[in-house]
């Protein structure tokens, strides 16, 4: 049963990475279409045409579909963006002294 969970986590990380690549690839086009379609000084036909082009872009190329995931476990919640790892993995590695500059607070 744990094998299927591991495969699911790997697939989640793979999907998220693919979304990041697509978002970077289509970023300029998406911003251009969005800027033109939101500009009220342009004619309605031009704005509508760019809304159509924006809708035709792949859904996964949107930055809102990107989810920060732990690179070790695939966990989607409690992920420190600076380290790209979940709080659980971070705590474990910090306690083992495997993260440079990180130590447990004591006062």
């Amino acid at each position: 049963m744990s094998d299927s969970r591991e495969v699911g986590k790997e697939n989640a990380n793979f999907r998220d990475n693919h979304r990041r690549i697509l978002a970077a690839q289509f970023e300029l086009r998406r911003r251009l279409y969005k800027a033109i379609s939101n500009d009220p000084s342009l004619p309605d036909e031009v704005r509508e045409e760019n809304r159509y082009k924006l809708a035709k872009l792949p859904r996964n190329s949107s930055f809102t579909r990107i989810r920060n995931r732990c690179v070790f476990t695939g966990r989607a919640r409690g992920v420190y963006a600076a380290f790209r790892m979940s709080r659980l993995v971070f705590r474990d590695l910090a306690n083992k002294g495997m993260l440079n500059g990180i130590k447990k607070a004591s006062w």
Side-chain angles (χ1 to χ4, degrees):
M1 185 166 183
S2 63
D3 294 333
S4 64
R5 285 187 200 160
E6 291 299 322
V7 171
K9 290 175 185 176
E10 289 175 10
N11 285 341
N13 276 346
F14 181 75
R15 276 194 311 267
D16 188 60
N17 190 40
H18 182 66
R19 286 176 180 160
R20 287 175 191 273
I21 293 168
L22 278 177
Q25 183 180 353
F26 286 97
E27 179 181 12
L28 291 177
R29 236 182 293 185
R30 184 173 285 280
R31 284 189 181 185
L32 176 69
Y33 295 156
K34 211 172 232 189
I36 292 173
S37 64
N38 290 336
D39 189 0
S41 65
L42 294 174
D44 287 339
E45 301 85 36
V46 174
R47 293 173 64 195
E48 193 62 39
E49 179 182 338
N50 281 284
R51 279 192 199 110
Y52 178 76
K53 288 180 181 179
L54 184 63
K56 283 297 174 188
L57 291 178
R59 280 187 178 178
N60 283 336
S61 68
S62 175
F63 277 102
T64 57
R65 292 177 69 98
I66 294 175
R67 177 84 176 168
N68 284 339
R69 291 190 171 273
C70 176
V71 293
F72 297 106
T73 62
R75 184 179 168 89
R77 294 175 176 231
V79 175
Y80 293 123
F83 297 98
R84 295 278 312 266
M85 64 179 76
S86 71
R87 60 187 176 82
L88 306 171
V89 173
F90 179 83
R91 184 170 190 260
D92 186 42
L93 292 177
N95 285 339
K96 291 178 181 176
M98 298 178 76
L99 298 176
N100 292 333
I102 306 293
K103 65 178 183 177
K104 190 170 182 202
S106 59
W107 57 91

